[in-house]
């Protein structure tokens, strides 16, 4: 779904990001030539640490190198987030996965890589919500994200599972920088939708300090 007919950047396997024509952007930091290189380097680092941890945790039997389309998907989206940071309206992105494409590991790598990633307007991603529409998938994908998170040296305390709507509301409303505010939240679409309805079409979250937000 694309609220407000905002432009979408499609990220497909082994393809470049395609940005549809949108409103003019303001990038005080500029778009430097090393953005792609930094995005690819971070993607490789995240996959290396994450896949090794996934083997130790039983999510994978072997430690295969990330497939080219997995690296490209993560790097493409990181690059798009950086370049689109100056857009006056939020930009939506779509990653399309086929069966057997390694989507769980790609999603886990992307969640880890996005936290702290900056954009050309000086903002940073402060929280990532990983949503599923079924509890079993929530548990399975959550285990992958947890393995990638800890495998990249991130503290487990900053990754939380919201098992109730009240917990999700508490995580989102916690002040920025507070110990009670996680950097990654694992939950279901249904819980977020419940908050959306309760808020009259809005999800109340703590105001950021120049961060890119969730």
């Amino acid at each position: 779904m694309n609220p407000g007919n905002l432009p979408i950047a499609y990220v497909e396997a082994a393809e470049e990001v395609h940005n549809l024509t949108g409103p003019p952007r303001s990038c005080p930091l500029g778009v430097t030539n090393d953005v792609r290189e930094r995005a690819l380097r971070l993607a490789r680092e995240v996959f290396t640490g994450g896949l090794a941890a996934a083997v130790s945790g039983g999510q994978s039997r072997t430690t295969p190198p990330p497939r080219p389309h997995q690296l490209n998907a993560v790097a493409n989206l990181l690059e798009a987030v950086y370049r689109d940071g100056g857009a006056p309206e939020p930009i939506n992105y779509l990653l399309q996965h086929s069966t057997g494409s390694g989507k769980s590991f790609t999603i886990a790598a992307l969640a880890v890589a996005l936290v702290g990633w900056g954009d050309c307007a000086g903002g940073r991603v402060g929280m990532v919500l990983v949503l599923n529409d079924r509890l079993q998938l929530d548990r399975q994908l959550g285990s992958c994200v947890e393995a990638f998170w800890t495998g990249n040296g991130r503290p487990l305390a900053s990754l939380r599972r919201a098992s109730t709507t009240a917990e999700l509301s508490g995580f989102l409303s916690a002040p920025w920088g507070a110990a009670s505010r996680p950097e990654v939240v694992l939950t279901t679409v249904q819980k977020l939708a419940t908050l959306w309805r309760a808020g009259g079409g809005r999800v109340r979250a703590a105001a950021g300090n120049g961060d890119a937000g969730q």
Side-chain angles (χ1 to χ4, degrees), residues 185-202:
V185 177
L186 307 168
T187 191
T188 61
V189 174
Q190 290 85 348
K191 293 182 182 67
L192 185 64
T194 299
L195 284 184
W196 181 270
R197 290 191 295 269
R202 296 185 61 187

Side-chain angles (χ1 to χ4, degrees), residues 65-182:
R67 305 175 198 174
H69 72 265
Q70 291 177 301
L71 282 174
N72 281 335
V74 174
N76 286 349
L77 198 137
L78 291 175
E79 186 178 12
V81 168
Y82 180 89
R83 295 178 183 275
D84 292 336
E89 297 289 345
I91 303 296
N92 294 335
Y93 305 96
L94 173 66
L95 277 77
Q96 296 178 314
H97 300 277
S98 60
T99 302
S101 64
K103 54 184 172 292
S104 293
F105 288 157
T106 302
I107 293 170
L110 183 58
V112 175
L114 275 173
V115 174
W117 178 255
D119 61 37
C120 67
R124 290 190 178 277
V125 177
M127 179 186 287
V128 173
L129 297 180
V130 181
L131 305 174
N132 268 296
D133 60 357
R134 283 177 288 176
L135 289 175
Q136 183 177 3
L137 287 177
D138 185 44
R139 288 190 291 268
Q140 292 174 347
L141 181 57
S143 296
C144 288
V145 175
E146 184 176 308
F148 269 64
W149 187 253
T150 56
N152 280 276
R154 307 292 180 91
L156 187 57
S158 59
L159 182 151
R160 301 294 297 275
R161 294 174 185 259
S163 56
T164 66
T165 302
E167 278 188 330
L168 178 58
S169 178
F171 293 149
L172 292 175
S173 60
W176 289 78
S180 59
R181 185 180 178 88

Side-chain angles (χ1 to χ4, degrees), residues 12-68:
E12 299 182 1
E15 295 289 342
E16 294 297 321
V17 175
H18 300 287
N19 287 306
L20 303 185
T21 302
R25 288 147 171 73
S26 172
C27 290
L29 300 183
V31 179
T32 57
N33 293 330
D34 69 335
V35 174
R36 178 67 181 179
E37 180 182 341
R38 290 193 291 114
L40 275 172
R41 183 168 60 248
L42 178 57
R44 292 191 188 98
E45 291 174 355
V46 168
F47 269 110
T48 298
L51 288 172
V55 172
S56 300
Q59 285 83 29
S60 179
R61 296 179 181 178
T62 60
T63 312
R67 305 175 198 174

